[in-house]
Amino acid sequence: MIQISHLSKKYKNNEDYSVMDLDLKIDEGEIFGLLGPNGAGKTTLISMLSSLIKPTSGSFTINGLTFQKNANQLKQIIGIVPQEYALYPTLTAYENLYYLGSMYGLKGKQLKEKINFHLEVLGLGKFSNKKLDTFSGGMKRRVNLIASILHDPKVLFLDEPTVGVDVQSKNVIIENLKKLNTQGTTIIYTSHHLNEAEQFCTKVAIIDHGRIIIEGAPNNLISQYPESHNLEDVFLTLTGKALRDHA
Ligand SMILES: Nc1ncnc2c1ncn2[C@@H]1O[C@H](COP(=O)(O)OP(=O)(O)OP(=O)(O)O)[C@@H](O)[C@H]1O
């Protein structure tokens, strides 16, 4: 489904490559986790795949399509949940979703029903007519998620969808992503929650310094390192315990 070949990104104001000559294949139906320390290149990679930024070199296809040749087709089959909220604080949840859904050509009764369905499923039904600036972080994350799935994408890219939310919101988000996956959506997400990734992902790739250092099913990775009991142990073994602070 996704085939990445020699993909690199170097930002103009940065001396180093943020993603470096990266090759990766993600099959249809996977829940694929991109994991790595701060600054590893996860957001840069997922931002290139969802066409928010342009690669410096290399290429990738999604369902055999490229953004250079098939941008409109690709936009219809992918959904993007960025780290930042793409929502209007002074509009209600419903108004936000109606506006964002209409950008995908959805309208009328079909759009209204989809919005109400997803708001209900994600526990926001009774807040439909409340303005976004009254919402908690967890509620905004759920609206952000709905905005990205109204057009039933085949592939969903999520950049840290559960960061900064309480356990209840996290649980609702993960359960809904699992449901979308069983209905046929391939999911690619970045996370720092290794426990969550171990439970949730069918495959993960651990990235550091812009390169993939290991990939595979969480249980396979854990069994490759006899001293590791979980994905966090594998992660620390491979990426080390040094802090990754930059100023
Ligand atoms: N717009 C930018 N301009 C210059 N350098 C950038 C830019 N965005 C990211 N970088 C650099 O690219 C590298 C990778 O950053 P990226 O945000 O992709 O990492 P990440 O793995 O998502 O980190 P985090 O877990 O902290 O979100 C870092 O060194 C970062 O400083």
Side-chain angles (χ1 to χ4, degrees), residues 11 13-14 18 37-44 83 160 192:
Y11 293 100
N13 53 348
N14 198 326
S18 299
N38 287 135
K42 305 177 297 293
T43 296
T44 302
Q83 246 179 58
E160 299 195 38
H192 284 286

Side-chain angles (χ1 to χ4, degrees), residues 148-165:
S148 72
I149 57 175
L150 286 171
H151 62 299
D152 300 321
K154 284 190 198 311
V155 188
L156 187 57
F157 295 103
L158 306 105
D159 197 359
E160 299 195 38
T162 57
V163 74
V165 304

